[in-house]
Amino acid sequence: MAKTGTIASGEKILDVLNVLLRNFAHGMAPGELAKATGISQSNITRYVNTLEVKGFVERIHETGNIRPSHRLAQHAVAIMRQLSDQEARAKESINRITKEI
């Protein structure tokens, strides 16, 4: 059930994506995804199509399984780089501050 102020279908789409993120390497067949999420096969098809159109998931041609797109991995790498840059800046500031004391 959706929490107040949320959309149930949006929550379910994100549930699908979260399950797929745990199965990145091999992906999942639609039936497996339906079973893992408790979402009907027909809704899984619609949710996966939505995620695919928006570039968040892709199909593995050899198996037909669905997995998160490489675009999501690229976003994760970009976030890690930004955090690393911020950490380096913070360390530099700390060094400058403590050097002057």
Side-chain angles (χ1 to χ4, degrees), residues 31-93:
E32 295 172 321
L33 192 52
K35 186 176 180 182
T37 59
I39 297 171
S40 72
Q41 184 81 30
S42 61
N43 282 338
I44 285 293
T45 299
R46 290 190 334 217
Y47 296 155
V48 166
N49 287 345
T50 299
L51 288 165
E52 194 170 20
V53 165
K54 292 299 186 177
F56 288 96
V57 301
E58 61 191 17
R59 295 191 187 266
I60 302 170
H61 297 290
E62 297 82 13
T63 63
N65 284 354
I66 303 146
R67 70 172 170 209
S69 70
H70 285 86
R71 184 174 113 187
L72 282 176
Q74 291 167 340
H75 284 298
V77 169
I79 290 167
M80 289 171 38
R81 285 184 181 144
Q82 288 178 35
L83 290 172
S84 180
D85 289 346
Q86 291 300 319
E87 180 182 32
R89 287 188 190 108
K91 284 180 181 180
E92 180 183 324
S93 290

